Coordinates of all heavy atoms in Angstrom, one line a residue:
N294 N -5.8 26.6 0.1 CA -5.9 25.4 -0.8 C -6.0 24.2 0.0 O -6.6 23.2 -0.5 CB -4.7 25.4 -1.7 CG -4.7 24.2 -2.6 OD1 -4.2 23.2 -2.4 ND2 -5.4 24.4 -3.8
D295 N -5.6 24.1 1.3 CA -5.6 22.9 2.1 C -7.0 22.7 2.8 O -7.2 21.6 3.4 CB -4.5 22.9 3.2 CG -4.7 24.1 4.1 OD1 -5.2 25.1 3.7 OD2 -4.3 23.9 5.3
V296 N -8.0 23.6 2.6 CA -9.3 23.3 3.2 C -10.1 22.5 2.2 O -10.5 23.0 1.1 CB -10.0 24.7 3.5 CG1 -11.4 24.4 4.0 CG2 -9.2 25.5 4.4
A297 N -10.4 21.3 2.5 CA -11.2 20.4 1.7 C -12.7 20.5 1.9 O -13.1 21.0 2.9 CB -10.8 19.0 1.9
P298 N -13.5 20.2 0.9 CA -14.9 20.2 1.0 C -15.4 19.2 2.1 O -14.7 18.2 2.4 CB -15.5 19.8 -0.4 CG -14.3 20.0 -1.3 CD -13.1 19.8 -0.5
A299 N -16.5 19.4 2.6 CA -17.1 18.5 3.6 C -17.5 17.2 3.0 O -17.7 16.2 3.7 CB -18.2 19.2 4.4
L300 N -17.7 17.2 1.7 CA -18.0 15.9 1.0 C -16.7 15.2 0.7 O -15.9 15.7 0.0 CB -18.8 16.2 -0.3 CG -20.1 17.0 -0.1 CD1 -20.7 17.4 -1.4 CD2 -21.1 16.2 0.7
V301 N -16.6 13.9 1.1 CA -15.4 13.1 0.9 C -15.7 12.0 0.0 O -16.6 11.2 0.2 CB -14.9 12.6 2.3 CG1 -13.6 11.7 2.0 CG2 -14.6 13.7 3.2
F302 N -15.0 11.9 -1.1 CA -15.2 10.9 -2.1 C -14.8 9.5 -1.6 O -13.8 9.3 -0.9 CB -14.3 11.2 -3.4 CG -14.3 10.1 -4.4 CD1 -15.5 9.8 -5.1 CD2 -13.2 9.3 -4.7 CE1 -15.6 8.7 -6.0 CE2 -13.2 8.3 -5.6 CZ -14.4 8.0 -6.3
N303 N -15.7 8.5 -1.9 CA -15.5 7.2 -1.4 C -15.5 6.3 -2.6 O -16.6 6.1 -3.3 CB -16.5 6.8 -0.4 CG -16.3 5.4 0.2 OD1 -15.4 4.7 -0.2 ND2 -17.2 5.0 1.1
P304 N -14.4 5.6 -3.0 CA -14.3 4.8 -4.2 C -14.8 3.3 -3.9 O -14.8 2.5 -4.9 CB -12.8 4.8 -4.5 CG -12.2 4.8 -3.2 CD -13.1 5.7 -2.3
I305 N -15.3 3.0 -2.7 CA -15.6 1.6 -2.4 C -17.0 1.3 -2.8 O -18.0 1.9 -2.4 CB -15.5 1.4 -0.9 CG1 -14.0 1.7 -0.4 CG2 -15.8 0.0 -0.5 CD1 -13.8 1.7 1.0
P306 N -17.2 0.3 -3.7 CA -18.5 -0.1 -4.2 C -19.2 -1.0 -3.2 O -18.6 -1.5 -2.2 CB -18.2 -0.9 -5.4 CG -16.8 -1.5 -5.2 CD -16.1 -0.5 -4.3
V307 N -20.5 -1.1 -3.3 CA -21.3 -2.0 -2.5 C -20.8 -3.4 -2.8 O -20.6 -3.8 -3.9 CB -22.8 -1.9 -2.9 CG1 -23.7 -2.9 -2.1 CG2 -23.3 -0.5 -2.6
G308 N -20.6 -4.1 -1.7 CA -20.2 -5.5 -1.8 C -18.7 -5.7 -1.7 O -18.2 -6.8 -1.7
F309 N -17.9 -4.6 -1.7 CA -16.5 -4.7 -1.6 C -16.0 -5.1 -0.2 O -16.6 -4.6 0.8 CB -15.8 -3.3 -2.0 CG -14.3 -3.4 -1.9 CD1 -13.6 -3.8 -3.0 CD2 -13.7 -2.9 -0.7 CE1 -12.2 -3.8 -2.9 CE2 -12.3 -2.9 -0.7 CZ -11.5 -3.4 -1.8
E310 N -15.1 -6.0 -0.2 CA -14.5 -6.5 1.1 C -13.0 -6.2 1.2 O -12.3 -6.6 0.3 CB -14.8 -7.9 1.3 CG -16.3 -8.3 1.5 CD -16.6 -9.7 1.7 OE1 -15.6 -10.5 1.8 OE2 -17.8 -10.1 1.8
F311 N -12.6 -5.5 2.2 CA -11.2 -5.3 2.4 C -10.5 -6.7 2.8 O -11.1 -7.5 3.5 CB -10.9 -4.3 3.5 CG -11.1 -2.9 3.1 CD1 -12.3 -2.2 3.4 CD2 -10.2 -2.2 2.5 CE1 -12.5 -0.9 3.1 CE2 -10.3 -0.9 2.1 CZ -11.5 -0.2 2.4
E312 N -9.3 -6.8 2.4 CA -8.5 -7.9 2.8 C -8.2 -7.8 4.3 O -7.9 -6.7 4.8 CB -7.1 -7.9 2.1 CG -6.3 -9.2 2.3 CD -5.1 -9.2 1.4 OE1 -4.9 -8.2 0.6 OE2 -4.3 -10.2 1.5
Q313 N -8.5 -8.8 5.1 CA -8.4 -8.7 6.5 C -7.0 -9.1 7.1 O -6.5 -8.5 8.0 CB -9.5 -9.6 7.2 CG -10.9 -9.2 6.8 CD -11.2 -7.8 7.3 OE1 -10.9 -7.5 8.4 NE2 -11.8 -7.0 6.4
K314 N -6.4 -10.1 6.4 CA -5.1 -10.6 6.9 C -4.0 -9.6 6.6 O -3.9 -9.0 5.6 CB -4.8 -11.9 6.2 CG -3.6 -12.6 6.8 CD -3.4 -14.0 6.1 CE -2.2 -14.7 6.7 NZ -1.9 -16.0 6.0
R315 N -3.2 -9.4 7.6 CA -2.0 -8.5 7.5 C -0.7 -9.3 7.5 O -0.5 -10.0 8.5 CB -2.0 -7.4 8.5 CG -3.1 -6.4 8.4 CD -3.1 -5.3 9.4 NE -4.2 -4.4 9.3 CZ -4.2 -3.3 8.6 NH1 -3.1 -2.9 7.9 NH2 -5.3 -2.5 8.5
E316 N 0.1 -9.2 6.5 CA 1.4 -9.9 6.4 C 2.5 -8.9 6.4 O 2.4 -7.8 6.0 CB 1.4 -10.8 5.2 CG 0.2 -11.8 5.2 CD 0.2 -12.6 3.9 OE1 1.0 -12.3 3.0 OE2 -0.6 -13.5 3.8
A317 N 3.7 -9.4 6.8 CA 4.9 -8.5 6.8 C 5.3 -8.2 5.4 O 5.3 -9.1 4.5 CB 6.0 -9.2 7.5
F318 N 5.7 -7.0 5.1 CA 6.2 -6.6 3.8 C 7.6 -7.2 3.7 O 8.4 -7.3 4.7 CB 6.4 -5.1 3.8 CG 7.1 -4.6 2.5 CD1 6.4 -4.4 1.3 CD2 8.4 -4.3 2.5 CE1 7.0 -4.0 0.2 CE2 9.1 -3.8 1.4 CZ 8.3 -3.7 0.2
A319 N 7.9 -7.8 2.5 CA 9.2 -8.4 2.3 C 9.7 -8.3 0.9 O 9.0 -8.6 0.0 CB 9.1 -9.9 2.7
V320 N 10.9 -7.8 0.8 CA 11.6 -7.8 -0.5 C 13.0 -8.4 -0.2 O 13.6 -8.1 0.8 CB 11.8 -6.3 -1.0 CG1 12.8 -6.3 -2.2 CG2 10.5 -5.7 -1.4
E321 N 13.4 -9.3 -1.0 CA 14.6 -10.0 -0.8 C 15.8 -9.1 -0.8 O 16.0 -8.4 -1.8 CB 14.8 -11.1 -1.9 CG 16.0 -12.0 -1.6 CD 16.1 -13.2 -2.6 OE1 15.2 -13.3 -3.5 OE2 17.1 -13.9 -2.5
A322 N 16.6 -9.1 0.2 CA 17.8 -8.3 0.3 C 18.9 -8.9 -0.6 O 19.1 -10.1 -0.6 CB 18.3 -8.2 1.7
L323 N 19.5 -8.1 -1.4 CA 20.5 -8.6 -2.3 C 21.8 -8.8 -1.7 O 22.2 -8.1 -0.7 CB 20.7 -7.5 -3.5 CG 19.5 -7.2 -4.3 CD1 19.8 -6.2 -5.4 CD2 18.9 -8.5 -5.0
K324 N 22.5 -9.9 -2.1 CA 23.8 -10.2 -1.6 C 24.9 -10.0 -2.7 O 24.5 -10.0 -3.9 CB 23.8 -11.7 -1.1 CG 22.8 -11.9 0.0 CD 22.8 -13.4 0.4 CE 21.8 -13.7 1.5 NZ 21.8 -15.1 1.9
N325 N 26.1 -9.9 -2.3 CA 27.2 -9.8 -3.2 C 27.1 -8.6 -4.2 O 27.6 -8.7 -5.3 CB 27.3 -11.1 -4.0 CG 27.5 -12.3 -3.1 OD1 28.3 -12.3 -2.2 ND2 26.8 -13.4 -3.5
V326 N 26.5 -7.5 -3.7 CA 26.4 -6.3 -4.5 C 27.7 -5.6 -4.3 O 28.1 -5.3 -3.1 CB 25.2 -5.4 -4.1 CG1 25.3 -4.1 -5.0 CG2 23.9 -6.2 -4.4
K327 N 28.4 -5.2 -5.3 CA 29.7 -4.6 -5.2 C 29.7 -3.1 -5.8 O 28.9 -2.9 -6.7 CB 30.8 -5.4 -5.9 CG 31.0 -6.8 -5.4 CD 31.5 -6.8 -4.0 CE 31.7 -8.2 -3.5 NZ 32.0 -8.3 -2.0
L328 N 30.4 -2.3 -5.2 CA 30.6 -0.9 -5.7 C 31.2 -1.0 -7.1 O 32.2 -1.6 -7.2 CB 31.4 -0.1 -4.7 CG 31.4 1.4 -4.9 CD1 30.0 2.0 -4.5 CD2 32.4 2.1 -4.0
P329 N 30.6 -0.4 -8.1 CA 31.1 -0.5 -9.4 C 32.4 0.3 -9.6 O 32.6 1.3 -8.9 CB 30.0 0.1 -10.3 CG 29.3 1.1 -9.4 CD 29.3 0.5 -8.0
A330 N 33.3 -0.2 -10.4 CA 34.5 0.5 -10.7 C 34.3 1.9 -11.3 O 35.0 2.8 -11.0 CB 35.4 -0.4 -11.6

């Protein structure tokens, strides 16, 4: 089952441009979280 066909699907249309800039992933860390009773 892990042998894939030699044809690989490409979803990228003509004219599509990848975002070039790479930024750090960030999610705000929560403060004052307490273990519930």
Side-chain angles (χ1 to χ4, degrees):
N294 183 265
D295 61 328
V296 179
L300 302 175
V301 180
F302 173 66
N303 184 359
I305 300 173
V307 175
F309 179 84
E310 294 183 1
F311 282 99
E312 189 173 0
Q313 298 299 313
K314 187 177 181 181
R315 293 181 182 269
E316 301 174 355
F318 176 83
V320 171
E321 185 176 357
L323 299 180
K324 300 177 181 179
N325 302 318
V326 178
K327 300 298 182 184
L328 195 66

